[in-house]
Amino acid sequence: MRKIGLIGGLSWTSTARYYQIINQAVARARGGLSSAPVLIESLNFADVARSASADDWDSASRELIGAAQRLETAGAETLLICANSMHKVYDAVAAAVGVPIIHIAEVVGDKMNADGVKSAALIGTRNVMTEKFYRQRLVAHGVSLLPADMKLADRIDTIVYDELVLGKATRESERFMKSELTDIAKQNVQAVILACTELEMIVDVKANVLPIYDCTNIHAMAGARFILSE
């Protein structure tokens, strides 16, 4: 099996989910006691989040570049950045290493394209919902996106950074997301893109009116396929 590297700690809760999904996929494919050869560079999210919130993306980029280079040196053959929002610095990180980095929006776009989905609502933290670095890659796959809902983006930021990254999943936030997804289903879209690696903690991706493309699962499974590829 091929070895991959995870740039994690963005937050630790979602990194744990990546590790679980990848190992479960490898175990299913290989059977027995098989598990995945994975390297994890778990960053201090407090440092990275501080850079992002202060709009100091150069500092965030340096943190991720350092992690990527250490993983490459340790033998990782491809890398995953285990956060949607941190793909804002994807290009800089990818240019700093000699191994490929699997882009989360690219694999989500590929799957939606294969499924024939042409319209969707993008749900995530503010920078993912509003900025071009993420939206443009999905649009390039032929997916038309609803305009960003700024009130929803602000509420999701609060839920993610005050609760989910700390490992807290409240009933109030679960009810809020269920209500929002019900409202989105009334609009002219075919699917919802769950573009925040922590939101799976409060959204049942299999029990909604619209199909939900869970970016965490799709991205992690892309990593598992790389591990299992010849």
Side-chain angles (χ1 to χ4, degrees), residues 114-184:
D115 292 345
V117 175
K118 299 296 183 184
S119 61
L122 177 64
I123 303 300
T125 53
R126 174 182 276 268
N127 76 320
V128 170
M129 287 180 67
T130 62
E131 296 183 31
K132 294 188 293 184
F133 77 92
Y134 202 98
R135 297 177 71 90
Q136 284 184 339
R137 288 185 182 262
L138 294 172
V139 171
H141 285 80
V143 182
S144 174
L145 299 172
L146 288 180
D149 181 333
M150 300 309 299
K151 289 181 66 176
L152 176 57
D154 288 342
R155 179 65 185 272
I156 288 176
D157 270 12
T158 298
I159 291 171
V160 169
Y161 295 114
D162 291 352
E163 298 174 16
L164 301 184
V165 300
L166 303 176
K168 300 176 183 177
T170 68
R171 289 290 297 164
E172 179 184 358
S173 294
E174 287 179 16
R175 287 192 294 268
F176 171 77
M177 289 305 302
K178 185 173 184 178
S179 175
E180 288 295 318
L181 291 168
T182 299
D183 289 343
I184 289 170

Side-chain angles (χ1 to χ4, degrees), residues 14-114:
S14 62
T15 307
R17 183 68 178 132
Y18 269 86
Y19 187 70
Q20 179 184 33
I21 292 168
I22 290 168
N23 274 285
Q24 287 174 339
V26 168
R28 286 194 300 269
R30 293 299 175 92
L33 299 177
S34 298
S35 59
V38 178
L39 298 168
I40 300 176
E41 176 82 12
S42 189
L43 298 172
N44 180 356
F45 191 44
D47 294 336
V48 180
R50 189 180 305 115
S51 297
S53 62
D55 215 19
D56 182 9
W57 285 99
D58 287 343
S59 293
S61 179
R62 286 193 294 271
E63 290 275 359
L64 269 67
I65 286 172
Q69 291 173 336
R70 289 188 291 273
L71 288 167
E72 181 181 25
T73 299
E77 298 173 70
T78 197
L79 307 176
L80 278 69
I81 299 172
C82 300
N84 290 272
S85 60
M86 290 301 151
H87 279 72
K88 183 179 175 75
V89 299
Y90 171 91
D91 290 339
V93 180
V97 292
V99 295
I101 303 179
I102 301 173
H103 195 293
I104 192 168
E106 291 292 336
V107 292
V108 171
D110 285 342
K111 180 165 178 54
M112 297 181 79
N113 188 261

Side-chain angles (χ1 to χ4, degrees), residues 206-220:
K206 296 179 180 178
N208 284 276
V209 177
L210 286 176
I212 292 185
Y213 284 78
D214 176 14
C215 296
T216 303
N217 187 73
I218 295 168
H219 198 206

